[in-house]
Each structure stands twice: as structure tokens, then as C-alpha cells.
């Protein structure tokens, strides 16, 4: 067993109690975990100040001098403080303690040189420093501590139990003494040379005890590259193994269904992006490997028609297909859309959701098992054990981040050979995240809108402009258009939100009175049947305005709705705003999105509004969103915690990620099993990493 596997309590200065705290609070179980506790930031202690150079700047400084006297000052109400006079050859200042006075008084040496460190404040003409860090000058010179001081992640509990930054720093020094800082290299020499990376030993030493800014930067680059490189190696290996091991069902022929639809029944010419994506998918389906592709495209970019054409290919090769959507509304919409597109073809399509009647279910189950049903569209209901296929060849999953991994694997087991998989999403995932999280999926992007679609015009208005906005709505309704007005929904305060919505509904009803105007309302407290009825009335054009909470976010297609008004837009995230905006602009008319906010906006909110007004490009929006929110939130609950990166950051280190991916691909092309002698260390480290329970359990 290597020294780094030693349980943390055996490190000198730790012991059982501290070991237990480190385990619970920071997840540090053994030496290796402590070694990889990287500092959050550094304090520059390369400079020593003289007392006459001090300023009231609230920054941390260090001063060399000695204490010439010490006294207790009463503050009344039984409280006191300890005050020491500290001098150097340019002047004097005061050191103050409010806690631990007895211990400090006993341990302080008078007239001996100290290095003190802390924040300086000014009272009158005198500077003082409260609770300074103190070290005898001799010890300071001898210590391993570098001039750049690391500040480690911590928790309130650790601080309360006396495990301060100084204590963690001491533990780290002890760790380096015990291990002699001998850490084995895990990257091949040619990579170190080509990228000018410093050795592993030097990198770990300089991340904890940097001798200079330059060495610190080199250490960070080396460790970030290594972390991202191993993640990419694992993802790409996984992809290669899947393509070798999991034999797919080759869809060898392009038959009548596909060609007939393509030549005679396409409602409009496919965009170049759609053609490109179809070609990528057909290459996958024709190969012997199982397809695993992520199809990204903004709302309205025409993913459904691509999915249908893949299903027609499956039918031409004698296979069934299924399409799984996260909600009934969305499943119904796919069913209606696909049935409409395929109405001229001789194809059996059915829908299965929670509200399908028992008598219909029986018929559907039988038709699936005897193979007479070609395409089934549905919700989670498709995952039930009762649903069995004759020969499932293609599974299309819409908005996959709403389905966990277990749910998908249930679909796999419904076929002897795993079906080809097409995952569709309208939530644009920034390239960096896609490369890290879905590095084992092949990615296709539809990045142009169908012809005849006018880009949605987005404006930001303050509440004080409400009268103008209402006038604009009346003009649009006069042209025969319909309007959405959306209110935010925040789980914690449903009562408040409900009140906002009802207040809004009442004031809108006053401003848009019957019989001239008619208003629908939609919110989470309504029964599903009532929701569907309201949606149906709006879709049929019986009401002019739909007042709703974010229930309408996913997939409702009403071509005549041309204005989306988002109330309290500052309470929405960027991707949510973008998804809501995608509800309009479905027809040929010019559509508008109006973001209403109060005048008080945080910086982040301002950036969100500016981004929405500036661009309709979902990918650009997702990049800004990633910068504002960080990777965890974007992935949603199922995927968060997947990338518990120790030092790299997907937002800041995009370039390093791309470099790491490039080199991982290059290496695996030349030596997939990593068997060449120069890859021996790499292979060993790779196998070690793969044993650990990390990210790979989450990525399907």
C-alpha cells in the first residue's frame, strides 16, 4: 500500500478527533485526499512593511518588530481586551485581543523579534491589528512556508473546532515531510516536453508552497491539464469500447418509407443544418455500432422532423421506434406533429401516457408485441414492465436531462440488442460542458432556423412603461394575434406567487374587459383536465391572452401567439427566459418578447436582460449562463455532482479542456490499450482512477 493511502488520523498533528472532523467536513479520508485539497486563493507574503508605511487600506500586511509591553484594558460590563505595544525602528502600533487573553499573555515573549500578520485599522493616529497571526522571526525564517500563502477551503465547524487555515497549512507541511514529496509521475515524458509541463512533484509542491507567482501559474496549469486529460481519456475510451463491444443493428437499406416521405411529403425544404445532421445519423445507423447521439437545436429548429425520418429508416429495416417525452403535453404535441407529417404514409403510430384508457392500453401492448405498431410515442409510461416490443430498433428521448440514467437503461433492456439512441434537447449545452458531460455521446447540432421564420424581437421595459406595453398588446390583438403573459413561479413561496398571478390576472381583466377581450389562466394548482381545457381554448383562438406561471415552458406550439410578456423577468434564469421566448415566433408573423422588470436590478440580472435583447442564439446564451451560474446548476439535479473537479473550472479553463481533449484523442488513436512502454505510468494511473467511484457511474 502506498503511503498516500494511509488514513488521515495517522498524520502527525491530526489524530482521531481531527481526523473525524476532516472526514465529515471536507471528505478527507487519507493522505492523498489532503494532498488534493487545493487552496482557493493565496496571500502574498513576499513583502514586509515598516510601521510608518502602513495605511488604512483594510488589506492584510506583515510587519517585523517586537512587543515592549502588554496590558489588560477594562471595557465595562465585565469585558476586557488585551493590548500590546509593538514597535520597529520607524514607529509603534497596537496589537489587540478580545479572546484567549490568558493563553496569549502567557505565551508572548517581550523584546523578542516577531513577524506579525493581519488586517490593519486606524484609530486616531495609531494603527492597530486585532488577533494577528504571530511567528517568532527565527521560526519564520526556518519554516517551509512560502512567501505566497495558501488559503484552504474550510467550514464554520472546522473554524469553531480550532482547525484554522494555519493548522491545515501545518498539516500540509507535515504531509510533505513524511512523504518526502515523492509523488509518482503519471503523464508520458513526450507530453511533458511538448506542452512544457512541470513534473508532478514540482506541481504539487508549488500549488501548496509556491515560491513565486510564476511557479504557481505553472503548477496550476499542469494540475488542471492532468485532471481534464484523465476525464477525457475515460470518456473517449468509453465511447470506443461501446462502439467495439456493443454491436448495433445496422440499418442497411434506405427504403420506400424514407424516400417516399423525402421526395413527396416534406412540408418544406430541409435546412442545410438538418441535412448535415441526418447524414451524421445515417452514417451511425449504417455502421455496425450502436448509435448514441445527442441532437441539440433551439426551439423550433426542426428536430422533430429529423427524429421522424430516423424512425422511417427504422421501419424500412423492419424495426420499431419509440419517442419518450417528459410531460403529457409534450408527448401529445409530438404525437400530433408526427401523425400530421406521416398522414400520407402507411404507418401505425400510437401514444401511451398516464391518462391512456385501460382498454386502449391493452390494444397498444398487443400491437407492440406482435410488431404491427411501428412507432409509439409516450411519457414515462413507456418504461413500465408491461410495455414489451417485438423488435425495438430506435429510441428517441426528448429533453433527456429530465430523465435519470436508470430510466434510460430500462428502455435498453426492452430489446435483445440495445437500440440506437437519439437524445434530443432544446436546452443548448455549452460546448465545454457537452465535451465533459456527454463526451461519450456523439454530438449533432441544428444551428439554423427553417426559412420563413423571422427572428423574435426582444425588448426590456421597466414597470413604469406598463401603459405603453398595454397599448402595444391592444394593437397586436387588433391584428388578430394572441399574447402570453408569464409570472415567475418559485417553489418556496407558492402562496406569494399565486397571489402575484391572481393580482396580475385581476388587473389585466380590468384593462382588457369582456366582451371585447377574453383571457385564459393557467397555473400549477389547477386540475390537469382544466389545464388542458384552457390550453385548448387558447390554441383554438377563443381567448386572446393567456396569463400563466411557467407551466407553459415546455413545448406548446401555438403559431398565432406572437407576443410573450415575462413579468418580473429578473427572477428567471437565462435558459428559462430563452425557453419561454421560444413559445412565440412559431408562425410567419413578426413576434415579440417583452421583459418586464423593476428598476432595482442586480449586476447579474442586468447581464441577463442585455444578453436576451442582444441575441437569439441559444448557444451564446448558454455560454453566458454558464459564466453566471457555474456548471452545477445547468445540468439539473440528476447530473449535478457529476464533475466534482478538484482544480479545473469548466468556465475559466475552456482552452485547457480543448487541449486535453485533443491530446487524449491523439493518444488513443495511436495506442488505444495504452500498452506502449512510454504509456506504462499513464495506464497504471488510468486503471487506478477507473476503480474509484467517480463521475463514470453517473454518465450513461
Amino acid at each position: 500500500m502506498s503511503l498516500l493511502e494511509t488514513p488521515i488520523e495517522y498524520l502527525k498533528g491530526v489524530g482521531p478527533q481531527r481526523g473525524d472532523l476532516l472526514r465529515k467536513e471536507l471528505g478527507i479520508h487519507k493522505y492523498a485526499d489532503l494532498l488534493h485539497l487545493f487552496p482557493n486563493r493565496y496571500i502574498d507574503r513576499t513583502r514586509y512593511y515598516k510601521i510608518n508605511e502602513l495605511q488604512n487600506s483594510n488589506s492584510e500586511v506583515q510587519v517585523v518588530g517586537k512587543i515592549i509591553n502588554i496590558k489588560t484594558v477594562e471595557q465595562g460590563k465585565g469585558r476586557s481586551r488585551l493590548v500590546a505595544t509593538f514597535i520597529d525602528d520607524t514607529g509603534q502600533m497596537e496589537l489587540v485581543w478580545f479572546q484567549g487573553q490568558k493563553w496569549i499573555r502567557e505565551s508572548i515573549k517581550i523584546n523578542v523579534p516577531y513577524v506579525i500578520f493581519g488586517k490593519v485599522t486606524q484609530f486616531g493616529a495609531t494603527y492597530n491589528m486585532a488577533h494577528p497571526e504571530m511567528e517568532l522571526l527565527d521560526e519564520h525564517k526556518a519554516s517551509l512556508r512560502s512567501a505566497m500563502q495558501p488559503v484552504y477551503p474550510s467550514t464554520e465547524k472546522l473554524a469553531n473546532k480550532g482547525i484554522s487555515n494555519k493548522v491545515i497549512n501545518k498539516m500540509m507541511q507535515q504531509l510533505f515531510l513524511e512523504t518526502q514529496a515523492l509523488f509518482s509521475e503519471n503523464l508520458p515524458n513526450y507530453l511533458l516536453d511538448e506542452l512544457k509541463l512541470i513534473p508532478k512533484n514540482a506541481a504539487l509542491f508549488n500549488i501548496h508552497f509556491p515560491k513565486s507567482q510564476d511557479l504557481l501559474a505553472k503548477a496550476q496549469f499542469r494540475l488542471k491539464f492532468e485532471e481534464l486529460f484523465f476525464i477525457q481519456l475515460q470518456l473517449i475510451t468509453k465511447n470506443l469500447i461501446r462502439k467495439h463491444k456493443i454491436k448495433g443493428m445496422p440499418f442497411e437499406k434506405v427504403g420506400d418509407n424514407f424516400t417516399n416521405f423525402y421526395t413527396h411529403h416534406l412540408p418544406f425544404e430541409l435546412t442545410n443544418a438538418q441535412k448535415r445532421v441526418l447524414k451524421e445519423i445515417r452514417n451511425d445507423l449504417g455502421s455496425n455500432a450502436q448509435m448514441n447521439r445527442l441532437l441539440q437545436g433551439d426551439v423550433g429548429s426542426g428536430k422533430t422532423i429529423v427524429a421522424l425520418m430516423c424512425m422511417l429508416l427504422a421501419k424500412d429495416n423492419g424495426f420499431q421506434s419509440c419517442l419518450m417525452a417528459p410531460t403529457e403535453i409534450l408527448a401529445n404535441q409530438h404525437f400530433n406533429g408526427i401523425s400530421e407529417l406521416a398522414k400520407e404514409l402507411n404507418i401505425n403510430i400510437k401514444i401511451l401516457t398516464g391518462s391512456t384508457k385501460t382498454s386502449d392500453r391493452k390494444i397498444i401492448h398487443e400491437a407492440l408485441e406482435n410488431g404491427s405498431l411501428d412507432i409509439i410515442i409516450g411519457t414515462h409510461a413507456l418504461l413500465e414492465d408491461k410495455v414489451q416490443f417485438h423488435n425495438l430498433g430506435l429510441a428517441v428521448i426528448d429533453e433527456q436531462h429530465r430523465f435519470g440514467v436508470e430510466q434510460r437503461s430500462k428502455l435498453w433492456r426492452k430489446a435483445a440488442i440495445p437500440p440506437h439512441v437519439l437524445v434530443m434537447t432544446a436546452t443548448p449545452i455549452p460546448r465545454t460542458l457537452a465535451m465533459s458531460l456527454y463526451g461519450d455521446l456523439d454530438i449533432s447540432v441544428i444551428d439554423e432556423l427553417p426559412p420563413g421564420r423571422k427572428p423574435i424581437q426582444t425588448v426590456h421595459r421597466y414597470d413604469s412603461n406598463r401603459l405603453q406595453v398595454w397599448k402595444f398588446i391592444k394593437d397586436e390583438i387588433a391584428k388578430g394575434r394572441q399574447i402570453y403573459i408569464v409570472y415567475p413561479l418559485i417553489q418556496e413561496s407558492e402562496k406569494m406567487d399565486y397571489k402575484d398571478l391572481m393580482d396580475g390576472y385581476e388587473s389585466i381583466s380590468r384593462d382588457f374587459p369582456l366582451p371585447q377581450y377574453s383571457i385564459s389562466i393557467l397555473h400549477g394548482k389547477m386540475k390537469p383536465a382544466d389545464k388542458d381545457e384552457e390550453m385548448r381554448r387558447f390554441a383554438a383562438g377563443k381567448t386572446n391572452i393567456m396569463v400563466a406561471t411557467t407551466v407553459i415552458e415546455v413545448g406548446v406550439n401555438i403559431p398565432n401567439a406572437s407576443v410573450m410578456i415575462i413579468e418580473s423577468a429578473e427572477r428567471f434564469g437565462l435558459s428559462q427566459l430563452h425557453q419561454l421566448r421560444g413559445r412565440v415566433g412559431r408562425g410567419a408573423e413578426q413576434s415579440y418578447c417583452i421583459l418586464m422588470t423593476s428598476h432595482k436590478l442586480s449586476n447579474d440580472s442586468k447581464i441577463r436582460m442585455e444578453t436576451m435583447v442582444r441575441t437569439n442564439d441559444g448557444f451564446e446564451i448558454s455560454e453566458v449562463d454558464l459564466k453566471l451560474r457555474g456548471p452545477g446548476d445547468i445540468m439539473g439535479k440528476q447530473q449535478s455532482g457529476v464533475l466534482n473537479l478538484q482544480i479545473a473550472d469548466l468556465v475559466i479553463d475552456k482552452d485547457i479542456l480543448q487541449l486535453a481533449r485533443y491530446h487524449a484523442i491523439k493518444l488513443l488513436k495511436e495506442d488505444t490499450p495504452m500498452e506502449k512502454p512510454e504509456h506504462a505510468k499513464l495506464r497504471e494511473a488510468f486503471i487506478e482512477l477507473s476503480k474509484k467511484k467517480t463521475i463514470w457511474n453517473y454518465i450513461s
Side-chain angles (χ1 to χ4, degrees):
M1 171 172 107
S2 84
L3 192 55
L4 287 175
E5 296 296 306
T6 314
I8 194 67
E9 56 266 30
Y10 292 106
L11 185 70
K12 190 177 165 199
V14 178
Q17 278 173 317
R18 281 182 168 179
D20 200 42
L21 271 169
L22 289 172
R23 256 193 203 88
K24 285 185 181 134
E25 295 294 296
L26 295 174
I28 294 174
H29 297 267
K30 51 189 185 192
Y31 283 20
D33 299 330
L34 181 62
L35 181 65
H36 292 105
L37 177 72
F38 297 125
N40 289 335
R41 60 191 178 88
Y42 299 83
I43 295 164
D44 190 350
R45 291 186 67 166
T46 44
R47 174 147 189 218
Y48 298 91
Y49 285 81
K50 294 285 186 195
I51 291 177
N52 67 355
E53 297 175 317
L54 296 178
Q55 287 171 345
N56 196 8
S57 68
N58 201 22
S59 62
E60 295 171 310
V61 295
Q62 57 185 357
V63 188
V64 183
K66 44 190 158 189
I67 291 175
I68 50 170
N69 70 31
I70 192 159
K71 60 179 188 229
T72 303
V73 179
E74 294 303 328
Q75 293 174 268
K77 291 193 180 165
R79 287 197 311 229
S80 64
R81 63 178 188 270
L82 193 63
V83 180
T85 309
F86 186 81
I87 63 158
D88 69 1
D89 51 9
T90 69
Q92 67 174 41
M93 61 187 287
E94 289 186 339
L95 311 181
V96 188
W97 292 268
F98 300 97
Q99 282 129 7
Q101 297 177 24
K102 181 173 177 293
W103 181 80
I104 285 162
R105 208 178 186 134
E106 286 165 8
S107 56
I108 270 177
K109 301 188 165 96
I110 303 279
N111 283 322
V112 178
Y114 274 102
V115 178
I116 61 163
F117 175 78
K119 276 192 177 154
V120 174
T121 41
Q122 189 175 11
F123 283 99
T126 317
Y127 284 102
N128 71 30
M129 192 184 281
H131 291 267
E133 275 187 36
M134 299 183 64
E135 204 172 9
L136 290 166
L137 184 59
D138 296 347
E139 285 177 13
H140 179 78
K141 285 178 177 162
S143 97
L144 226 182
R145 259 210 292 209
S146 59
M148 305 276 305
Q149 286 231 337
V151 179
Y152 290 98
S154 185
T155 66
E156 219 173 308
K157 201 161 182 187
L158 286 178
N160 292 341
K161 298 276 186 190
I163 301 182
S164 62
N165 197 56
K166 197 170 172 184
V167 170
I168 292 183
N169 202 309
K170 276 251 164 64
M171 290 175 184
M172 209 59 87
Q173 292 188 40
Q174 185 59 33
L175 179 70
F176 274 75
L177 291 172
E178 285 189 28
T179 54
Q180 299 285 299
L182 296 174
F183 307 116
S184 50
E185 185 53 73
N186 55 8
L187 294 177
N189 292 336
Y190 68 83
L191 245 184
L192 298 179
D193 295 343
E194 189 184 333
L195 297 172
K196 302 192 172 51
L197 298 173
I198 62 173
K200 176 96 175 190
N201 275 346
L204 284 167
F205 186 84
N206 282 289
I207 203 87
H208 293 294
F209 311 107
K211 286 278 173 273
S212 67
Q213 288 283 1
D214 179 50
L215 277 167
L216 174 61
K218 287 190 166 121
Q220 286 172 326
F221 184 82
R222 150 77 210 227
L223 294 170
K224 285 175 173 190
F225 176 83
E226 179 188 320
E227 180 167 45
L228 295 167
F229 181 68
F230 276 102
I231 285 183
Q232 292 303 323
L233 277 182
Q234 291 195 285
L235 284 167
I236 297 157
T237 309
K238 203 162 174 250
N239 199 345
L240 291 170
I241 289 173
R242 202 190 61 240
K243 286 184 173 159
H244 280 292
K245 264 199 187 159
I246 305 185
K247 286 288 168 263
M249 298 161 270
F251 289 4
E252 274 148 2
K253 64 174 205 250
V254 177
D256 298 346
N257 288 297
F258 186 90
T259 38
N260 180 14
F261 180 76
Y262 191 78
T263 35
H264 303 302
H265 303 299
L266 266 184
F268 43 76
E269 171 76 16
L270 292 183
T271 61
N272 288 329
Q274 283 172 312
K275 287 179 184 161
R276 184 187 68 237
V277 166
L278 262 173
K279 196 170 164 189
E280 291 167 352
I281 292 172
R282 277 175 55 178
N283 284 342
D284 284 358
L285 295 174
S287 77
N288 281 324
Q290 179 220 12
M291 169 171 87
N292 233 3
R293 197 167 270 285
L294 175 68
L295 175 58
Q296 291 183 272
D298 249 337
V299 174
S301 59
K303 296 185 293 290
T304 314
I305 204 159
V306 170
L308 171 63
M309 291 171 82
C310 299
M311 293 171 169
L312 295 175
L313 272 177
K315 161 99 171 140
D316 282 337
N317 287 275
F319 291 103
Q320 296 168 301
S321 306
C322 71
L323 189 163
M324 189 160 86
T327 63
E328 281 200 22
I329 290 186
L330 208 53
N332 275 309
Q333 196 168 303
H334 279 304
F335 177 67
N336 297 336
I338 285 176
S339 306
E340 175 61 30
L341 285 168
K343 63 175 188 276
E344 302 292 325
L345 308 172
N346 180 22
I347 284 196
N348 188 0
I349 306 175
K350 289 276 184 282
I351 181 165
L352 180 66
T353 67
S355 45
T356 306
K357 293 194 186 79
T358 316
S359 52
D360 295 342
R361 272 170 198 257
K362 233 180 118 180
I363 299 166
I364 291 174
H365 290 162
E366 277 170 18
L368 274 179
E369 285 183 50
N370 66 30
S372 62
L373 183 52
D374 303 308
I375 295 177
I376 180 86
I377 293 170
T379 53
H380 294 76
L382 295 177
L383 300 173
E384 290 167 7
D385 295 337
K386 288 200 282 296
V387 179
Q388 291 300 327
F389 292 83
H390 178 60
N391 56 354
L392 178 64
L394 171 69
V396 181
I397 298 174
D398 196 23
E399 290 305 337
Q400 80 91 30
H401 56 277
R402 304 191 174 212
F403 294 106
V405 177
E406 315 75 68
Q407 295 172 307
R408 274 176 288 173
S409 57
K410 274 190 178 166
L411 263 184
W412 286 200
R413 296 193 200 110
K414 293 183 188 283
I417 298 178
H420 295 292
V421 178
L422 184 65
V423 170
M424 303 198 299
T425 178
T427 310
I429 302 159
R431 274 200 59 78
T432 44
L433 261 187
M435 279 181 352
S436 318
L437 278 161
Y438 303 117
D440 61 332
L441 291 179
D442 301 300
I443 297 178
S444 293
V445 179
I446 302 182
D447 46 14
E448 54 184 311
L449 286 177
R453 285 275 174 93
K454 296 191 175 85
I456 300 165
Q457 279 190 6
T458 305
V459 294
H460 171 208
R461 295 285 179 263
Y462 293 107
D463 290 335
S464 50
N465 316 91
R466 192 168 294 280
L467 285 172
Q468 288 158 287
V469 174
W470 272 190
K471 179 181 180 312
F472 174 72
I473 296 181
K474 287 180 173 163
D475 294 346
E476 285 293 297
I477 293 176
K479 292 182 199 163
R481 310 268 182 273
Q482 288 168 287
I483 319 289
Y484 286 113
I485 302 181
V486 178
Y487 285 83
L489 175 71
I490 293 173
Q491 261 23 68
E492 286 84 78
S493 58
E494 273 190 12
K495 286 194 186 70
M496 277 252 323
D497 294 320
Y498 185 66
K499 184 175 162 301
D500 282 356
L501 180 77
M502 294 326 278
D503 286 354
Y505 177 68
E506 277 165 26
S507 76
I508 291 162
S509 306
R510 282 196 299 275
D511 294 336
F512 295 86
L514 286 159
Q516 195 183 350
Y517 300 100
S518 160
I519 303 173
S520 285
I521 186 163
L522 195 64
H523 57 80
K525 294 195 168 168
M526 292 164 66
K527 293 193 181 80
D530 297 344
K531 281 188 198 169
D532 290 346
E533 175 56 23
E534 285 292 285
M535 243 4 272
R536 226 177 39 75
R537 285 179 59 217
F538 188 62
K542 293 195 172 121
T543 56
N544 318 96
I545 298 176
M546 163 70 78
V547 179
T549 53
T550 44
V551 200
I552 58 151
E553 184 181 345
V554 178
V556 191
N557 191 359
I558 295 169
N560 192 40
S562 66
V563 182
M564 165 66 70
I565 291 181
I566 303 175
E567 293 284 354
S568 307
E570 70 272 22
R571 287 168 66 185
F572 290 91
L574 250 182
S575 59
Q576 222 183 355
L577 289 171
H578 181 62
Q579 289 273 345
L580 282 168
R581 170 166 65 184
R583 300 289 128 239
V584 295
R586 296 297 185 106
E589 307 308 329
Q590 176 63 59
S591 290
Y592 304 90
C593 173
I594 302 174
L595 308 169
M596 303 292 296
T597 68
S598 65
H599 272 279
K600 284 202 288 263
L601 288 183
S602 68
N603 266 348
D604 280 5
S605 298
K606 281 191 188 121
I607 294 172
R608 289 203 292 268
M609 299 308 130
E610 282 159 13
T611 308
M612 286 290 294
V613 171
R614 185 183 78 242
T615 178
N616 276 309
D617 175 355
F619 285 94
E620 195 183 330
I621 286 171
S622 72
E623 293 283 351
V624 177
D625 202 22
L626 180 63
K627 284 196 180 98
L628 291 176
R629 292 197 299 166
D633 298 339
I634 291 186
M635 297 328 306
K637 289 196 180 57
Q638 283 91 344
Q639 310 278 5
S640 62
V642 171
L643 287 176
N644 30 16
L645 295 171
Q646 288 174 312
I647 188 165
D649 175 313
L650 291 178
V651 182
I652 304 166
D653 304 319
K654 279 212 298 235
D655 300 347
I656 305 180
L657 172 64
Q658 272 162 336
L659 188 70
R661 186 168 174 84
Y662 167 78
H663 283 285
I665 290 170
K666 193 170 147 195
L667 184 147
L668 289 171
K669 264 198 183 132
E670 289 161 18
D671 180 19
T672 309
M674 302 185 227
E675 279 170 354
K676 291 184 177 169
E678 64 265 34
H679 293 150
K681 296 179 287 197
L682 182 75
R683 183 185 162 86
E684 203 178 306
F686 182 77
I687 291 170
E688 197 48 46
L689 254 179
S690 306
K691 284 184 203 157
K692 290 185 183 151
K693 182 176 183 341
T694 50
I695 161 176
W696 322 115
N697 308 8
Y698 302 95
I699 296 185
S700 58

